[in-house]
Amino acid sequence: MKIGVVGKGGVGKTTVSALLARSLADRGRRVLAVDTDSNPNLGLSLGLDPVQTEALPTVPRSIIVGSRGDLTVGELMADYAADTPSGVAVMSALRVTEAAAGCTCGGHATVRSLLGEALETETDDTIVDMEAGIEHLSRSGGTLAHADVLVLVMEPSLKAVITARRTIALARELGIGAWVGVGNKVSDDQHDLLARLCADHEVPLNVVVPASRDVVAADRTGTPLTRAEAGTVWAAVETLTDRLLELASLPVPQ
């Protein structure tokens, strides 16, 4: 599967991406997690320390892989992906290292190229932790044009749900035909609110990840959430994993 994790800023895309990647890896699948944030931190959530995360090389736009280039996917993984203690390989596609350096369009084009190539020779699942918002879906060709499914991450807010609705509209234009709605950081008294907002705006709510102090604490310290922590969160992530694997087994629309 090629999975794009998308949503408004602050909804918890990186946390969901990391937990989903770990869940898939725990099931014996080969997983590559691609960080497209210009301030990359996905490596921390997968068990790298700050020095290792900072040392991740950014995939240059000049590199073309597959039948049209001089690098195989295996060579690309060896040079630009790092193995993490969680069993997930992580790669950084974007990084802003200086002021006034211009846009990050080249990095987004790299992600589109990567997803269009035969990554399945080295991975079973590629998870792309996208930058906030929806601009990556409006770029020429669409950064996630080759994604199989989108994970729409929403907090219990109107703005988050509207962002998901707009994302669905753009996904349809790109020909992406599958998406899963995930409510994140949802307290007991917010569940009905989020469900109502999703229903009002025709956005699916397939999985609800509850709010958890353990997740907040892990995020503050930059450490991965352990399996012994936040059992209800892990249960929701496993439900998401099951849902995505079910979608992967469906026939591809013609």
Side-chain angles (χ1 to χ4, degrees), residues 1-2 32 59 61 63-74 76-77 91 109-126 143 145-148:
M1 285 183 292
K2 298 170 184 177
L32 170 65
V59 181
R61 176 66 187 107
I63 286 184
I64 301 295
V65 298
S67 59
R68 298 189 304 277
D70 58 0
L71 269 187
T72 67
V73 176
L76 179 80
M77 294 277 290
M91 181 183 292
T110 300
V111 174
R112 184 170 64 248
S113 175
L114 286 172
L115 291 180
E117 294 296 341
L119 280 174
E120 60 267 20
T121 61
E122 300 294 327
T123 69
D124 297 309
D125 305 300
T126 301
T143 305
H146 298 292
D148 299 312

Side-chain angles (χ1 to χ4, degrees), residues 9-248:
V11 296
K13 293 183 297 299
T14 296
T15 296
V16 171
S17 295
L19 295 179
L20 173 60
R22 291 172 59 190
S23 173
L24 287 163
D26 286 348
R27 300 189 187 202
R29 299 177 69 85
R30 301 170 301 165
V31 183
L32 170 65
V34 181
D35 194 340
T36 71
D37 198 316
S38 54
N39 179 32
N41 291 299
L42 182 58
L44 295 174
S45 296
L46 292 170
L48 297 184
D49 63 34
V51 173
Q52 292 169 321
T53 299
E54 193 66 22
L56 278 175
T58 303
V59 181
R61 176 66 187 107
S62 59
I63 286 184
I64 301 295
V65 298
S67 59
R68 298 189 304 277
D70 58 0
L71 269 187
T72 67
V73 176
E75 290 169 335
L76 179 80
M77 294 277 290
D79 289 345
Y80 293 98
D83 293 327
T84 69
S86 60
V88 176
V90 64
M91 181 183 292
S92 178
L94 293 178
R95 185 185 297 268
V96 172
T97 58
E98 56 184 295
C103 76
T104 57
C105 299
H108 284 276
T110 300
V111 174
R112 184 170 64 248
S113 175
L114 286 172
L115 291 180
E117 294 296 341
L119 280 174
E120 60 267 20
T121 61
E122 300 294 327
T123 69
D124 297 309
D125 305 300
T126 301
I127 298 173
V128 184
D129 178 18
M130 289 304 304
E131 279 189 306
I134 60 176
E135 194 216 354
H136 44 270
L137 290 166
S138 67
R139 295 173 186 272
S140 177
T143 305
L144 292 175
H146 298 292
D148 299 312
V149 58
L150 299 184
V151 174
L152 311 170
V153 184
M154 302 167 284
E155 61 189 354
S157 76
L158 177 61
K159 292 179 181 179
V161 173
I162 288 176
T163 299
R165 184 192 67 194
R166 292 169 177 164
T167 299
I168 290 172
L170 292 173
R172 286 193 174 109
E173 291 183 23
L174 287 175
I176 302 171
W179 43 82
V180 177
V182 177
N184 190 39
K185 302 185 289 184
V186 183
S187 61
D188 291 341
D189 61 343
Q190 295 172 327
H191 190 288
D192 289 345
L193 168 65
L194 180 58
R196 184 172 68 254
L197 289 171
C198 287
D200 289 346
H201 293 275
E202 299 182 325
V203 173
L205 182 59
N206 305 106
V207 179
V208 175
V209 181
S212 167
R213 292 181 179 177
D214 289 334
V215 173
V216 174
D219 188 58
R220 285 174 176 168
T221 58
T223 55
L225 188 73
T226 70
R227 281 284 186 176
E229 299 171 312
T232 55
V233 169
W234 278 109
V237 171
E238 296 300 338
T239 298
L240 172 59
T241 302
D242 290 338
R243 174 70 174 172
L244 291 170
L245 292 175
E246 287 171 5
L247 287 172

